[in-house]
Each structure stands twice: as structure tokens, then as C-alpha cells.
Amino acid sequence: MCKCIKCNNKIIFNGPNKNASVEHIIPNAIGGKLKSSKLLCKKCNSDYGKECDSVLCKQLEFITVMLNPSRDRQTNLTFKTSSNEKYDISLNGKPV
């Protein structure tokens, strides 16, 4: 039996009350590939993504684009300028 490390609820892997989700130990956005489905329930995983992971990824975004690590989900990054213009940056650091 696995319990969520944040809320201590039982993690259910099958059935109608399934609440298991795959958590990247290091966020995918900065190149993390190590995953576990036994650490966080779906709700807490989502909360961590909004509260912690997104802040960390935003702080490391420039370095991540320049280093171009391989990721599970390959997506372009979007930057906003001070004048609110949007630019898409490919994973190799070049504007799209």
C-alpha cells in the first residue's frame, strides 16, 4: 500500500476511485525523466506542479533552453517580452 507523501491518503491505482498519477522527480520541463507513481496522489501532484515545479522551471527556463536536455514530452517554450509580445523558442534555443 502506498500513501501520498503530502496528504497521507492512500494511493489507489485501479478502479473508479483511482487517484494515482505519474510524478516527475525532477520536472520534465528541465529534463527530468525519473518518475514515480507511488509518491503523490493526483490532487497533490497537481498542486505541487502549480506551487513548486512551475516556479523552479520558470527560474531555470533560460538555462534549460540553452542546454537543451532531452525530455519525455518535447514542447516549445513561450517567452513574453516586457511589452507583452510572445515568442516561441524551440528546444534548441532558436526562435520559431
Side-chain angles (χ1 to χ4, degrees):
M1 179 176 75
C2 299
K3 289 190 173 187
C4 176
I5 60 173
K6 185 176 179 188
C7 69
N8 209 31
N9 287 335
K10 181 179 175 183
I11 296 176
I12 303 168
F13 295 95
N14 296 313
N17 296 326
K18 178 182 172 185
N19 68 348
S21 68
V22 177
E23 163 70 12
H24 280 85
I25 308 302
I26 297 172
N28 181 61
I30 58 175
K33 292 185 178 181
L34 180 62
K35 300 178 260 186
S36 176
S37 59
K38 298 178 180 180
L39 294 175
L40 295 168
C41 68
K42 194 172 196 172
K43 180 189 179 311
C44 292
N45 189 9
S46 178
D47 292 346
Y48 267 126
K50 293 174 191 167
E51 296 166 6
C52 302
D53 291 351
S54 63
V55 174
L56 174 65
C57 294
K58 189 68 177 166
Q59 291 174 350
L60 297 174
E61 193 169 50
F62 180 78
I63 294 168
T64 303
V65 168
M66 294 304 123
L67 294 177
N68 191 23
S70 63
R71 299 171 177 88
D72 286 341
R73 298 181 300 261
Q74 299 288 327
T75 57
N76 291 338
L77 301 171
T78 300
F79 287 95
K80 283 186 181 179
T81 64
S82 58
S83 60
N84 218 21
E85 295 177 88
K86 285 185 179 180
Y87 290 95
D88 286 336
I89 306 295
S90 70
L91 294 175
N92 64 4
K94 297 180 181 173
V96 178

